[in-house]
Amino acid sequence: MTQTPSDELDEAQSSQDAQATASADFPVLAVGTTVHERYEITQVISESTDQHVYSVTDHQGYQHCWNCGSEQNSEGDEFCIDCGAELQNAVYTMHEYPAAKSSDSDADTFHGTIVNTFVEQGRTYAVEQAHAAVNAFPNGVHLLAASDSDAGDVRRSEPNEDSTLALVLQRVHESQAFPVGVFIVADGLGGHDNGQEASRMAINIIAERMVRDLLAAPLASEKAGETVEEASEDSLATLLQSTIEDANSAICQVNQRDKTDMGSTITGFMVVGDFAYILNVGDSRTYMVRAGQIYQLTTDHSLVGQLVAGGLIQPDDVYTHPQRSQIFRSLGDKPNVQVDIFKQQLHPGDILLSCSDGLWEMVRNPQIESILNNAPDPQTACTQLLETANTNGGEDNVSAVVVFVH
């Protein structure tokens, strides 16, 4: 059948009439309207015959924390008792559906997380929180740090060749905490000339450079009234890389001058805001405990590490293999040192540990995990890790730096 122009006009008119009827049956709520005695409409984002979308402010944020999802707060609470986020006037997107349609239609696509649904006056509502709105650290990042080192029971009469560094500047401004910190473990190579001097040099050079360029430089700029730009990821990684290269060059120069072969492994991390920049040269390790589970973040630059990676030995064999002390990267070995550096996003509750091989060879990962999960503070964790290493044999110098992230 051929459709005439008048037929098309009739269909168009019918469609317009239907839309008008639907609009009358499903009117858009005005800005300022409060729904569910809780959500105040601040903007109409879009409207159609089957869905209206609004931007709303939640005036009962205590019922559901926008940041951590806690529902343990009470009416009148201004801040979440679990994460510290401000509970008043959180902003959400609210979807409104007419009586004939529900929010679970296959046609609906949500870009965030649905935090509440309810029905009021025959209409269905879904309250959505955009993923980008979630801030893991609503009041900034707080760090608790500690370090400790022990010669180990077997080598008690010899110099402790390990050195550690825990350097942190934490400022709170306008209720926002922003930490900058550097945490390092350096293990002077046993059997080489003056291993303790190599690790001490590495720590001192890193500390001096980081105090000058990472900590003091922005403070001086602020004092001079200059605008301090936030450091980029590339600039921070470059600073860390060049600092380790400075330490390596200094040790190499001493070796060349004095005809020695001292050296050191090094591992650790630099924290700026809610990111950690992990570094490693050698077989000292950096771990992270997240949600109670331990993860080894660094890769051992050792013969046994390569054998494990190649599937030639099992991971547990690294603790007993006769060549487990052979490493192929260290500070002081070559003028050009290859440094592993990578970025790690931090979450509330994370625990970071850097340690020498004297710790991880004596204390297996499950035991490290248990100690870190149960210690009330970083200093207690360090003490318990060192004590456990000695209880399990104490065959080498043992050092640890522990940081709790809140």
Side-chain angles (χ1 to χ4, degrees), residues 159-247:
N160 183 349
E161 296 180 317
D162 291 357
S163 298
T164 69
L165 172 67
L167 180 67
V168 61
L169 170 67
Q170 180 144 326
R171 296 190 295 167
V172 179
H173 180 61
E174 295 183 349
S175 301
Q176 290 291 310
F178 190 88
V180 178
V182 181
F183 309 93
I184 304 291
V185 170
D187 180 1
L189 299 182
H192 291 239
D193 293 330
N194 221 0
Q196 67 271 23
E197 177 62 17
S199 69
R200 185 192 67 82
M201 284 182 61
I203 290 295
N204 287 355
I205 290 170
I206 293 169
E208 181 182 14
R209 175 79 184 274
M210 288 298 180
V211 167
R212 183 181 72 239
D213 294 350
L214 184 66
L215 305 186
L219 298 179
S221 296
E222 286 186 16
K223 184 178 180 180
E226 301 170 359
T227 300
V228 180
E229 299 293 338
E230 184 174 344
S232 67
E233 176 181 346
D234 288 343
S235 66
L236 291 170
T238 299
L239 172 62
L240 194 56
Q241 173 79 34
S242 63
T243 301
I244 304 305
E245 289 174 350
D246 286 351

Coordinates of all heavy atoms in Angstrom, one line a residue, residues 159-247:
P159 N 80.2 -6.1 61.2 CA 79.5 -4.9 60.9 C 78.2 -5.1 60.2 O 78.1 -6.0 59.3 CB 80.5 -4.1 60.0 CG 81.8 -4.6 60.3 CD 81.6 -6.1 60.6
N160 N 77.2 -4.4 60.5 CA 75.9 -4.5 59.8 C 76.0 -3.7 58.5 O 76.2 -2.5 58.6 CB 74.8 -3.9 60.7 CG 73.4 -4.0 60.1 OD1 73.3 -4.4 58.9 ND2 72.3 -3.8 60.8
E161 N 75.9 -4.3 57.4 CA 76.1 -3.7 56.1 C 74.9 -3.1 55.5 O 74.9 -2.5 54.4 CB 76.8 -4.7 55.1 CG 78.1 -5.2 55.6 CD 78.8 -6.1 54.6 OE1 78.0 -7.0 54.1 OE2 80.0 -6.0 54.3
D162 N 73.7 -3.2 56.2 CA 72.5 -2.6 55.7 C 72.4 -1.2 56.2 O 72.9 -0.8 57.3 CB 71.3 -3.4 56.3 CG 71.1 -4.7 55.6 OD1 71.9 -5.1 54.7 OD2 70.2 -5.5 56.0
S163 N 71.7 -0.3 55.4 CA 71.3 1.0 55.9 C 69.9 1.3 55.4 O 69.4 0.7 54.4 CB 72.2 2.1 55.2 OG 73.6 1.9 55.7
T164 N 69.1 2.1 56.2 CA 67.7 2.4 55.8 C 67.5 3.9 55.9 O 68.3 4.7 56.5 CB 66.8 1.7 56.8 OG1 66.9 2.3 58.1 CG2 67.0 0.2 56.9
L165 N 66.4 4.3 55.2 CA 66.0 5.7 55.2 C 64.5 5.8 55.2 O 63.8 5.1 54.4 CB 66.5 6.4 53.9 CG 66.1 7.8 53.6 CD1 66.6 8.8 54.7 CD2 66.4 8.3 52.2
A166 N 64.0 6.6 56.1 CA 62.6 6.9 56.2 C 62.5 8.5 56.3 O 62.7 9.0 57.3 CB 61.9 6.2 57.3
L167 N 62.2 9.1 55.2 CA 62.2 10.5 55.1 C 60.8 11.0 54.6 O 60.3 10.6 53.5 CB 63.2 11.0 54.1 CG 63.4 12.5 53.8 CD1 63.9 13.2 55.0 CD2 64.3 12.7 52.6
V168 N 60.0 11.7 55.5 CA 58.7 12.1 55.1 C 58.4 13.5 55.5 O 58.7 13.9 56.6 CB 57.6 11.1 55.7 CG1 57.7 11.1 57.2 CG2 56.2 11.4 55.2
L169 N 57.8 14.2 54.6 CA 57.2 15.6 54.9 C 55.7 15.5 54.7 O 55.3 15.2 53.6 CB 57.8 16.6 54.0 CG 57.2 18.0 54.0 CD1 57.4 18.7 55.4 CD2 57.7 18.9 52.9
Q170 N 55.0 15.7 55.7 CA 53.5 15.6 55.6 C 52.9 16.9 56.1 O 53.0 17.3 57.3 CB 53.0 14.4 56.4 CG 51.4 14.3 56.3 CD 51.0 12.9 56.3 OE1 51.7 12.0 55.8 NE2 49.9 12.6 56.9
R171 N 52.3 17.6 55.2 CA 51.6 18.9 55.6 C 50.1 18.7 55.4 O 49.6 18.0 54.5 CB 52.1 20.0 54.7 CG 53.6 20.3 54.8 CD 53.9 21.6 54.1 NE 53.8 21.5 52.7 CZ 53.8 22.5 51.8 NH1 53.9 23.8 52.3 NH2 53.7 22.3 50.5
V172 N 49.4 19.4 56.2 CA 47.9 19.5 56.1 C 47.5 20.9 55.9 O 47.8 21.8 56.8 CB 47.2 18.9 57.4 CG1 45.7 19.0 57.2 CG2 47.6 17.4 57.6
H173 N 46.8 21.2 54.8 CA 46.4 22.5 54.5 C 44.9 22.5 54.0 O 44.6 21.7 53.2 CB 47.3 23.1 53.4 CG 46.9 24.5 53.0 ND1 46.9 25.6 53.9 CD2 46.5 25.1 51.8 CE1 46.5 26.7 53.3 NE2 46.2 26.4 52.0
E174 N 44.1 23.3 54.6 CA 42.7 23.3 54.3 C 42.1 21.9 54.4 O 41.3 21.4 53.6 CB 42.4 23.9 52.9 CG 42.8 25.4 52.8 CD 42.5 26.0 51.5 OE1 42.1 25.2 50.5 OE2 42.5 27.2 51.3
S175 N 42.5 21.2 55.5 CA 42.0 19.9 55.9 C 42.4 18.8 54.9 O 41.9 17.7 55.0 CB 40.4 19.9 56.0 OG 40.0 20.8 56.9
Q176 N 43.3 19.1 54.0 CA 43.8 18.1 53.1 C 45.3 17.8 53.4 O 46.2 18.7 53.4 CB 43.7 18.6 51.7 CG 42.3 18.7 51.1 CD 41.7 17.3 51.0 OE1 42.3 16.4 50.3 NE2 40.5 17.2 51.5
A177 N 45.5 16.5 53.7 CA 46.9 16.0 53.9 C 47.6 15.6 52.6 O 47.0 14.9 51.8 CB 46.9 14.8 54.9
F178 N 48.8 16.1 52.4 CA 49.5 15.8 51.2 C 51.0 15.4 51.6 O 51.8 16.3 52.0 CB 49.6 16.9 50.2 CG 50.1 16.6 48.9 CD1 49.3 16.1 47.9 CD2 51.5 16.7 48.6 CE1 49.8 15.7 46.7 CE2 52.0 16.4 47.4 CZ 51.2 15.9 46.4
P179 N 51.3 14.1 51.6 CA 52.6 13.7 52.0 C 53.6 13.6 50.8 O 53.2 13.4 49.7 CB 52.3 12.3 52.5 CG 51.2 11.8 51.7 CD 50.4 13.0 51.3
V180 N 54.8 13.8 51.2 CA 55.9 13.5 50.2 C 57.0 12.7 51.1 O 57.4 13.2 52.1 CB 56.6 14.8 49.7 CG1 57.7 14.5 48.8 CG2 55.5 15.6 49.0
G181 N 57.3 11.6 50.6 CA 58.2 10.7 51.4 C 59.1 9.8 50.5 O 58.8 9.5 49.4
V182 N 60.2 9.5 51.1 CA 61.2 8.5 50.4 C 61.6 7.5 51.5 O 62.0 7.8 52.6 CB 62.4 9.3 49.9 CG1 63.4 8.3 49.2 CG2 62.1 10.4 49.0
F183 N 61.5 6.2 51.1 CA 61.7 5.1 52.0 C 62.6 4.1 51.3 O 62.2 3.5 50.3 CB 60.4 4.5 52.4 CG 59.4 5.5 52.9 CD1 58.4 6.1 52.0 CD2 59.4 6.0 54.2 CE1 57.5 7.1 52.4 CE2 58.5 6.9 54.6 CZ 57.6 7.5 53.7
I184 N 63.8 3.9 51.9 CA 64.8 3.1 51.2 C 65.4 2.1 52.1 O 65.7 2.3 53.3 CB 65.9 4.0 50.7 CG1 65.3 5.1 49.7 CG2 67.0 3.2 49.9 CD1 64.8 4.6 48.4
V185 N 65.7 0.9 51.6 CA 66.6 -0.1 52.2 C 67.8 -0.4 51.3 O 67.6 -0.7 50.1 CB 65.9 -1.4 52.5 CG1 66.9 -2.5 52.9 CG2 64.8 -1.2 53.6
A186 N 69.0 -0.2 51.8 CA 70.2 -0.5 51.0 C 71.0 -1.6 51.7 O 71.2 -1.5 52.9 CB 71.1 0.8 50.8
D187 N 71.3 -2.6 51.0 CA 72.0 -3.8 51.5 C 73.4 -3.8 50.9 O 73.6 -4.2 49.8 CB 71.2 -5.1 51.2 CG 71.9 -6.3 51.7 OD1 73.0 -6.2 52.4 OD2 71.4 -7.4 51.5
G188 N 74.4 -3.4 51.8 CA 75.8 -3.5 51.3 C 76.2 -5.0 51.0 O 75.8 -5.9 51.8
L189 N 76.9 -5.2 49.9 CA 77.1 -6.6 49.5 C 78.1 -7.2 50.4 O 79.3 -6.8 50.5 CB 77.6 -6.6 48.0 CG 76.6 -6.0 47.0 CD1 77.2 -6.0 45.6 CD2 75.3 -6.7 47.1
G190 N 77.7 -8.4 51.0 CA 78.6 -9.1 51.8 C 79.7 -9.8 51.0 O 79.5 -10.2 49.9
G191 N 80.9 -9.8 51.6 CA 82.0 -10.4 50.9 C 82.8 -9.4 50.1 O 83.8 -9.7 49.5
H192 N 82.2 -8.2 49.9 CA 82.9 -7.1 49.2 C 83.6 -6.2 50.2 O 83.3 -6.2 51.3 CB 81.9 -6.4 48.3 CG 81.4 -7.2 47.1 ND1 81.6 -6.8 45.8 CD2 80.7 -8.4 47.1 CE1 81.0 -7.8 45.0 NE2 80.5 -8.7 45.8
D193 N 84.5 -5.4 49.6 CA 85.1 -4.4 50.5 C 84.1 -3.4 51.0 O 83.4 -2.7 50.2 CB 86.2 -3.6 49.7 CG 87.4 -4.6 49.3 OD1 87.6 -5.5 50.1 OD2 88.0 -4.3 48.3
N194 N 84.0 -3.3 52.3 CA 83.3 -2.1 52.9 C 81.9 -2.0 52.4 O 81.4 -0.9 52.0 CB 84.1 -0.8 52.6 CG 84.1 0.1 53.8 OD1 83.6 -0.3 54.9 ND2 84.7 1.2 53.7
G195 N 81.1 -3.1 52.5 CA 79.7 -3.1 52.1 C 78.9 -2.0 52.9 O 78.0 -1.4 52.3
Q196 N 79.2 -1.9 54.2 CA 78.5 -0.9 55.0 C 78.7 0.5 54.5 O 77.8 1.4 54.6 CB 78.8 -1.1 56.5 CG 80.2 -0.7 56.9 CD 81.2 -1.9 56.8 OE1 80.9 -2.8 56.1 NE2 82.3 -1.8 57.5
E197 N 79.9 0.8 54.0 CA 80.2 2.1 53.5 C 79.4 2.4 52.2 O 78.9 3.5 52.0 CB 81.7 2.3 53.2 CG 82.1 3.6 52.6 CD 81.7 4.8 53.5 OE1 81.5 4.6 54.7 OE2 81.7 6.0 53.0
A198 N 79.2 1.4 51.4 CA 78.5 1.5 50.1 C 77.0 1.8 50.4 O 76.4 2.7 49.8 CB 78.6 0.3 49.3
S199 N 76.4 1.1 51.3 CA 75.0 1.3 51.7 C 74.8 2.7 52.3 O 73.8 3.4 52.1 CB 74.5 0.2 52.5 OG 75.0 0.2 53.8
R200 N 75.8 3.1 53.2 CA 75.7 4.4 53.8 C 75.8 5.5 52.8 O 75.0 6.5 52.9 CB 76.8 4.5 54.9 CG 76.7 5.8 55.7 CD 78.0 6.1 56.5 NE 79.1 6.3 55.6 CZ 79.4 7.5 55.1 NH1 78.6 8.6 55.3 NH2 80.4 7.7 54.3
M201 N 76.7 5.4 51.9 CA 76.8 6.4 50.8 C 75.6 6.5 50.0 O 75.1 7.6 49.7 CB 78.0 6.0 49.9 CG 79.4 6.3 50.4 SD 80.7 5.9 49.2 CE 80.3 7.0 47.9
A202 N 75.0 5.4 49.6 CA 73.8 5.4 48.8 C 72.6 6.1 49.6 O 72.0 7.0 49.0 CB 73.4 4.0 48.5
I203 N 72.5 5.8 50.8 CA 71.4 6.4 51.6 C 71.6 7.9 51.8 O 70.7 8.7 51.6 CB 71.3 5.7 53.0 CG1 70.7 4.3 52.9 CG2 70.4 6.6 54.0 CD1 69.3 4.2 52.4
N204 N 72.9 8.3 52.1 CA 73.2 9.7 52.3 C 73.0 10.5 51.0 O 72.4 11.7 51.1 CB 74.6 9.9 52.8 CG 74.8 9.4 54.2 OD1 73.8 9.1 54.9 ND2 76.0 9.4 54.7
I205 N 73.4 10.0 49.9 CA 73.2 10.8 48.6 C 71.8 10.9 48.3 O 71.3 12.0 47.8 CB 74.0 10.1 47.5 CG1 75.5 10.2 47.8 CG2 73.6 10.6 46.1 CD1 76.4 9.4 46.9
I206 N 71.0 9.8 48.4 CA 69.6 9.9 48.2 C 68.9 10.8 49.1 O 68.0 11.7 48.6 CB 68.9 8.5 48.3 CG1 69.5 7.5 47.2 CG2 67.4 8.5 48.2 CD1 69.1 6.1 47.4
A207 N 69.2 10.8 50.4 CA 68.6 11.7 51.3 C 68.9 13.2 51.0 O 68.0 14.0 51.0 CB 69.0 11.4 52.7
E208 N 70.1 13.5 50.7 CA 70.5 14.8 50.4 C 69.8 15.4 49.1 O 69.3 16.5 49.1 CB 72.0 14.9 50.2 CG 72.5 16.3 49.9 CD 74.0 16.3 49.6 OE1 74.6 15.3 49.4 OE2 74.6 17.4 49.6
R209 N 69.8 14.5 48.1 CA 69.1 15.0 46.8 C 67.6 15.1 47.0 O 67.0 16.1 46.5 CB 69.4 13.9 45.8 CG 68.7 14.2 44.4 CD 69.4 15.2 43.6 NE 68.7 15.5 42.4 CZ 68.9 14.8 41.2 NH1 69.7 13.8 41.2 NH2 68.2 15.2 40.2
M210 N 67.0 14.2 47.7 CA 65.5 14.3 47.9 C 65.1 15.5 48.8 O 64.1 16.1 48.6 CB 65.0 13.0 48.4 CG 65.0 11.8 47.4 SD 64.0 12.2 46.0 CE 64.2 10.7 45.0
V211 N 65.9 15.7 49.8 CA 65.6 16.9 50.7 C 65.7 18.2 49.9 O 64.8 19.0 49.9 CB 66.6 16.9 51.9 CG1 66.5 18.3 52.6 CG2 66.2 15.8 52.9
R212 N 66.7 18.3 49.0 CA 66.9 19.5 48.2 C 65.8 19.6 47.1 O 65.2 20.7 47.0 CB 68.3 19.4 47.6 CG 68.6 20.7 46.8 CD 70.0 20.6 46.2 NE 70.0 19.7 45.1 CZ 70.8 18.6 45.0 NH1 71.7 18.3 46.0 NH2 70.8 17.8 43.9
D213 N 65.6 18.6 46.3 CA 64.8 18.7 45.1 C 63.4 18.4 45.3 O 62.5 19.0 44.7 CB 65.4 17.9 44.0 CG 66.8 18.3 43.5 OD1 67.2 19.4 44.0 OD2 67.4 17.6 42.8
L214 N 63.1 17.4 46.2 CA 61.7 17.0 46.4 C 61.0 17.7 47.5 O 59.8 18.1 47.4 CB 61.7 15.5 46.6 CG 60.3 14.8 46.7 CD1 59.6 14.9 45.4 CD2 60.4 13.4 47.2
L215 N 61.7 18.0 48.6 CA 61.1 18.6 49.8 C 61.3 20.1 49.8 O 60.3 20.8 50.0 CB 61.6 17.9 51.0 CG 61.5 16.4 51.1 CD1 61.9 15.9 52.5 CD2 60.1 15.9 50.9
A216 N 62.5 20.5 49.7 CA 62.8 21.9 50.0 C 62.5 22.8 48.8 O 62.1 24.0 49.1 CB 64.3 22.1 50.3
A217 N 62.7 22.4 47.6 CA 62.4 23.3 46.5 C 61.0 23.8 46.4 O 60.8 25.0 46.2 CB 62.8 22.5 45.2
P218 N 60.0 23.0 46.5 CA 58.6 23.6 46.5 C 58.4 24.5 47.7 O 57.6 25.5 47.5 CB 57.7 22.3 46.6 CG 58.6 21.2 46.1 CD 59.9 21.5 46.6
L219 N 58.9 24.2 48.9 CA 58.7 25.1 50.0 C 59.4 26.5 49.7 O 58.8 27.5 50.1 CB 59.3 24.5 51.3 CG 58.7 23.2 51.7 CD1 59.5 22.6 53.0 CD2 57.2 23.3 52.0
A220 N 60.6 26.5 49.1 CA 61.2 27.7 48.8 C 60.4 28.5 47.8 O 60.3 29.8 47.9 CB 62.6 27.4 48.3
S221 N 59.8 27.8 46.8 CA 59.0 28.5 45.8 C 57.8 29.2 46.4 O 57.4 30.3 46.1 CB 58.6 27.5 44.7 OG 59.8 27.1 44.0
E222 N 57.2 28.4 47.4 CA 56.0 29.0 48.0 C 56.4 30.2 48.9 O 55.7 31.2 48.9 CB 55.4 27.9 49.0 CG 54.6 26.8 48.2 CD 53.9 25.9 49.2 OE1 53.8 26.3 50.4 OE2 53.5 24.8 48.8
K223 N 57.5 30.1 49.5 CA 58.0 31.2 50.4 C 58.2 32.5 49.5 O 58.0 33.6 50.0 CB 59.3 30.8 51.1 CG 59.8 31.9 52.1 CD 61.0 31.4 52.8 CE 61.5 32.5 53.8 NZ 62.8 32.0 54.5
A224 N 58.7 32.3 48.3 CA 59.0 33.4 47.4 C 57.7 33.9 46.7 O 57.8 34.8 45.9 CB 60.0 33.0 46.4
G225 N 56.6 33.3 47.0 CA 55.3 33.7 46.4 C 55.1 33.2 45.0 O 54.3 33.7 44.2
E226 N 55.9 32.2 44.6 CA 55.8 31.7 43.2 C 54.8 30.6 43.2 O 54.5 29.9 44.2 CB 57.2 31.1 42.8 CG 58.3 32.1 42.8 CD 59.7 31.5 42.5 OE1 59.7 30.2 42.4 OE2 60.6 32.2 42.5
T227 N 54.2 30.4 42.0 CA 53.2 29.3 41.8 C 53.9 28.0 41.7 O 54.9 27.8 40.9 CB 52.4 29.5 40.6 OG1 51.7 30.8 40.7 CG2 51.4 28.4 40.4
V228 N 53.5 27.0 42.6 CA 54.2 25.7 42.6 C 53.3 24.7 41.7 O 52.2 24.4 42.1 CB 54.4 25.2 44.0 CG1 55.0 23.8 44.0 CG2 55.2 26.1 44.8
E229 N 53.8 24.4 40.6 CA 53.1 23.4 39.7 C 53.2 22.0 40.3 O 54.3 21.6 40.8 CB 53.7 23.5 38.3 CG 53.5 24.8 37.6 CD 52.1 25.2 37.4 OE1 51.2 24.3 37.3 OE2 51.8 26.4 37.2
E230 N 52.1 21.2 40.2 CA 52.2 19.9 40.6 C 53.2 19.1 39.7 O 53.1 19.1 38.5 CB 50.8 19.2 40.5 CG 50.7 17.8 41.1 CD 49.3 17.3 41.1 OE1 48.4 18.1 41.0 OE2 49.2 16.0 41.2
A231 N 54.0 18.3 40.4 CA 55.1 17.6 39.6 C 54.4 16.5 38.8 O 53.5 15.8 39.2 CB 56.1 16.9 40.6
S232 N 54.9 16.3 37.6 CA 54.3 15.3 36.7 C 54.9 14.0 37.0 O 55.9 13.8 37.6 CB 54.6 15.7 35.2 OG 56.0 15.6 35.0
E233 N 54.2 12.9 36.5 CA 54.7 11.6 36.7 C 56.1 11.4 36.1 O 57.0 10.8 36.7 CB 53.7 10.6 36.1 CG 54.2 9.1 36.1 CD 53.2 8.2 35.4 OE1 52.1 8.6 35.2 OE2 53.6 7.0 35.2
D234 N 56.3 12.0 34.9 CA 57.6 11.8 34.3 C 58.7 12.5 35.0 O 59.8 12.0 35.2 CB 57.5 12.4 32.8 CG 56.7 11.5 31.9 OD1 56.5 10.3 32.2 OD2 56.4 12.0 30.8
S235 N 58.4 13.7 35.6 CA 59.4 14.4 36.3 C 59.8 13.7 37.6 O 61.0 13.7 38.0 CB 59.0 15.8 36.6 OG 57.9 15.9 37.5
L236 N 58.8 13.1 38.3 CA 59.1 12.4 39.5 C 59.9 11.1 39.2 O 60.8 10.8 40.0 CB 57.8 12.0 40.2 CG 57.0 13.2 40.8 CD1 55.6 12.8 41.2 CD2 57.8 13.9 42.0
A237 N 59.5 10.4 38.2 CA 60.3 9.2 37.8 C 61.7 9.6 37.4 O 62.7 8.8 37.8 CB 59.6 8.5 36.7
T238 N 61.9 10.7 36.7 CA 63.2 11.1 36.3 C 64.0 11.5 37.5 O 65.2 11.2 37.6 CB 63.1 12.3 35.4 OG1 62.4 11.9 34.2 CG2 64.5 12.8 35.0
L239 N 63.4 12.2 38.5 CA 64.1 12.6 39.7 C 64.6 11.3 40.5 O 65.8 11.2 40.9 CB 63.2 13.4 40.6 CG 63.7 13.7 42.1 CD1 65.0 14.5 42.0 CD2 62.7 14.4 42.9
L240 N 63.7 10.3 40.6 CA 64.1 9.1 41.3 C 65.2 8.4 40.5 O 66.2 7.9 41.1 CB 62.9 8.2 41.4 CG 63.0 7.0 42.4 CD1 63.3 7.5 43.8 CD2 61.6 6.3 42.4
Q241 N 65.1 8.3 39.2 CA 66.1 7.6 38.4 C 67.5 8.3 38.6 O 68.5 7.7 38.8 CB 65.7 7.6 36.9 CG 66.8 7.1 36.0 CD 66.9 5.6 35.9 OE1 65.8 4.9 36.1 NE2 68.0 5.1 35.7
S242 N 67.5 9.6 38.4 CA 68.8 10.4 38.5 C 69.4 10.3 39.8 O 70.6 10.3 40.0 CB 68.6 11.8 38.0 OG 67.7 12.5 38.9
T243 N 68.6 10.3 40.9 CA 69.1 10.2 42.2 C 69.8 8.8 42.5 O 70.9 8.8 43.1 CB 67.9 10.3 43.3 OG1 67.3 11.6 43.1 CG2 68.5 10.3 44.7
I244 N 69.2 7.8 42.0 CA 69.9 6.4 42.1 C 71.1 6.4 41.3 O 72.2 5.8 41.7 CB 68.9 5.3 41.7 CG1 67.6 5.4 42.5 CG2 69.6 4.0 41.9 CD1 67.8 5.4 44.0
E245 N 71.1 7.0 40.1 CA 72.3 7.1 39.3 C 73.4 7.9 40.0 O 74.6 7.6 39.9 CB 72.0 7.7 37.9 CG 71.1 6.8 37.0 CD 70.7 7.5 35.8 OE1 70.9 8.8 35.7 OE2 70.1 6.9 34.9
D246 N 73.0 9.0 40.7 CA 74.0 9.7 41.5 C 74.7 8.8 42.5 O 75.9 8.9 42.7 CB 73.4 10.9 42.2 CG 73.0 12.0 41.2 OD1 73.4 12.0 40.1 OD2 72.3 13.0 41.7
A247 N 73.9 8.1 43.2 CA 74.5 7.2 44.2 C 75.4 6.1 43.6 O 76.5 5.8 44.1 CB 73.3 6.5 45.0

